[in-house]
Amino acid sequence: MTAFARRARASAARMHPELSLVSFTLLSHLEDRGGCRATDLAAYYTLDKSTISRQVGALEKAGLVERRLDPDDHRVQVLHLTERGTGLLREVTDSRRVAFRERLADWSGPDLERFAEYLLRYNAGVPGE
């Protein structure tokens, strides 16, 4: 698992030097949810609010994320991808898909199906998600 995580971090850095694996994960989450509060990110990833705050600050500084007032409660700020953030996420996602296709090109259909089943099983077994 350590080797898998190390490879994931290294491949994220190669695909786009501006976007770390953590940044990619946060941007993907914001895209999937259509935006959310920083406290929601902290709760979902079980991270300290200060950690999320630093990450979000870096994403804002890079012009990838922006804060918008919640239309239902103007005291709340909701994080959304900017146009630049959406484009960069799409670019990195496309690069990752190409890399996965290349890495798995010589796997048989049954091997890919088994691998997919195991990944689903592994991810479903995560408590609290």
Side-chain angles (χ1 to χ4, degrees):
M1 293 306 293
T2 302
F4 180 80
R6 191 177 306 123
R7 255 194 322 273
R9 283 191 301 275
S11 69
R14 279 192 311 274
M15 286 182 203
H16 202 286
E18 192 178 346
L19 202 59
S20 70
L21 184 58
V22 172
S23 297
F24 176 81
T25 302
L26 295 179
L27 291 177
S28 295
H29 187 88
L30 290 174
E31 182 184 54
D32 290 344
R33 300 281 191 270
C36 70
R37 300 173 306 164
T39 54
D40 296 331
L41 286 173
Y44 184 82
Y45 291 105
T46 60
L47 293 170
D48 188 77
K49 290 177 189 175
S50 64
T51 302
I52 289 295
S53 179
R54 281 191 302 277
Q55 292 292 329
V56 167
L59 293 172
E60 283 181 300
K61 187 175 180 180
L64 304 175
V65 170
E66 64 186 1
R67 295 176 191 266
R68 298 183 201 156
L69 289 178
D70 185 328
D72 298 327
D73 184 349
H74 288 200
R75 297 170 298 170
V76 175
Q77 292 185 336
V78 179
L79 301 168
H80 291 275
L81 295 180
T82 62
E83 189 175 315
R84 182 171 186 270
T86 300
L88 185 59
L89 182 62
R90 187 177 312 115
E91 180 184 314
V92 172
T93 298
D94 291 346
S95 294
R96 288 175 55 138
R97 284 189 179 130
V98 167
F100 287 136
R101 280 190 197 107
E102 289 172 358
R103 188 166 184 107
L104 301 172
D106 62 344
W107 287 37
S108 70
D111 283 347
L112 288 171
E113 288 173 18
R114 238 183 338 269
F115 183 59
E117 288 171 13
Y118 290 147
L119 284 174
L120 287 170
R121 181 177 165 192
Y122 177 80
N123 288 328
V126 178
E129 286 189 8

